[in-house]
């Protein structure tokens, strides 16, 4: 028994060291910007810890993306900003032995969980800990680029999509899910709006990389058009998402801008007041024992522009 325990402990320790080394190399080569700091810190750890809740909530959106993957039938797929790997793993299961499925994300906590899930499911999916904006993918091998809410966080979106174009074959297709505006997604901002009068320090969402960075369709078309992608289309979709009402407090106290600052509230009475106020703000989204809301998103499609590929090669 002792030997077995030591072997397991040693294996976990070696795995931890490997991830630590990978993070160190990633930071040294690509820099450690604000988004990398965020997703390798509290936000990334929270998303990894709440993986089951988030997967339940976003399952209808995952299904939409998997349907798009099935219709294209790629041989080599890249999932950008893959997080804990739900979409990457679903794509790998869909493709089976007929193609490869690779996820890339900047977050070590989330990638660690994604790799553990792949191992547990005996999935052939592979994962890269890196920033897709700067990672040297090598040969142009992917024939489909997908993402479920993972492409709105680049420091330089044009450079990022140029890099993804370099990694893609001349006939590659792209399917991305991105949020529309904050005004069209009141569920996503309910917690911070309700808490603001009592807290006043909730991190702002407006401007720069973030959840709603791709809300403006003209901006998205400009970014992709300047990056080697053609036939850009943005189709508005409204998808009903839900999770058990018993998980509501877990959702708003752990995730999002409020989740990042609520732990700093030392006064128990102030924290209780904030939690109660926020819970009340979510009442319009409660239906019996279920939290239900509409995710207002873009389904973005594009294809690689072969002429642009030639300019890159030149």
């Amino acid at each position: 028994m002792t030997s077995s325990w030591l072997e397991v402990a040693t294996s976990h320790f070696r795995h931890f060291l490997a991830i630590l080394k990978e993070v160190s190399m990633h930071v040294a080569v690509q820099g450690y910007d604000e988004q990398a700091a965020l997703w390798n810190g509290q936000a990334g750890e929270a998303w990894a810890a709440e993986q089951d809740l988030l997967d339940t909530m976003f399952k209808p959106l995952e299904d939409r993306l998997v349907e798009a993957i099935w219709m294209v039938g790629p041989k080599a797929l890249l999932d950008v900003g893959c997080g804990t790997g739900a979409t990457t793993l679903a794509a790998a299961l869909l493709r089976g032995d007929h193609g490869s499925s690779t996820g890339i994300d900047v977050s070590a906590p989330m990638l660690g969980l994604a790799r553990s899930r792949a191992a547990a499911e005996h999935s052939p999916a592979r994962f890269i800990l890196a920033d897709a904006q700067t990672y040297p993918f090598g040969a142009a091998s992917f024939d489909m680029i997908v993402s479920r809410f993972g492409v709105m966080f680049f420091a330089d979106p044009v450079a990022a999509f140029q890099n993804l174009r370099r990694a893609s074959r001349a006939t590659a297709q792209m399917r991305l899910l991105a949020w529309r505006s904050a005004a069209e997604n009141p569920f996503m901002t309910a917690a911070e709006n309700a808490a603001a009068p009592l807290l006043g320090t909730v991190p702002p969402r407006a401007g720069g990389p973030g959840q709603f960075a791709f809300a403006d369709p003209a901006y998205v078309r400009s970014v992709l058009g300047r990056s080697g992608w053609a036939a850009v289309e943005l189709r508005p979709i409204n998808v009903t998402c839900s999770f058990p009402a018993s998980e509501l407090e877990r959702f708003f106290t752990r995730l999002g801008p409020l989740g990042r600052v609520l732990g700093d509230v030392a006064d128990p009475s102030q924290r209780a007041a904030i939690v109660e106020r926020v819970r009340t703000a979510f009442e319009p989204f409660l239906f019996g024992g279920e939290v239900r809301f509409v995710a207002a998103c873009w389904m973005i499609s594009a294809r690689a522009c072969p002429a642009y590929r030639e300019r890159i090669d030149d």
Side-chain angles (χ1 to χ4, degrees), residues 22-92:
E22 192 173 359
V23 172
S24 300
M25 291 176 64
H26 168 57
V27 170
V29 172
Q30 301 184 23
Y32 201 71
D33 63 18
E34 184 178 348
Q35 289 297 316
L38 176 67
W39 294 108
N40 280 289
Q42 183 180 358
E45 291 168 358
W47 273 66
E50 310 305 330
Q51 169 255 318
D52 58 332
L53 171 59
L54 290 163
D55 283 356
T56 297
M57 184 169 70
F58 289 141
K59 183 62 165 63
L61 290 155
E62 176 191 308
D63 291 343
R64 290 291 189 100
L65 199 54
V66 169
E67 180 183 7
I69 294 168
W70 177 81
M71 292 178 67
V72 173
K75 292 182 178 179
L77 173 143
L78 178 66
D79 182 9
V80 180
C82 65
T84 58
T87 304
T88 319
L89 293 167

Side-chain angles (χ1 to χ4, degrees), residues 133 138-141 159 161-168 309 312:
Q133 178 177 315
S141 57
F161 282 98
Q162 285 176 337
N163 196 41
L164 293 172
R165 177 64 191 88
R166 293 186 189 96
S168 303
R309 176 77 220 182
I312 291 176

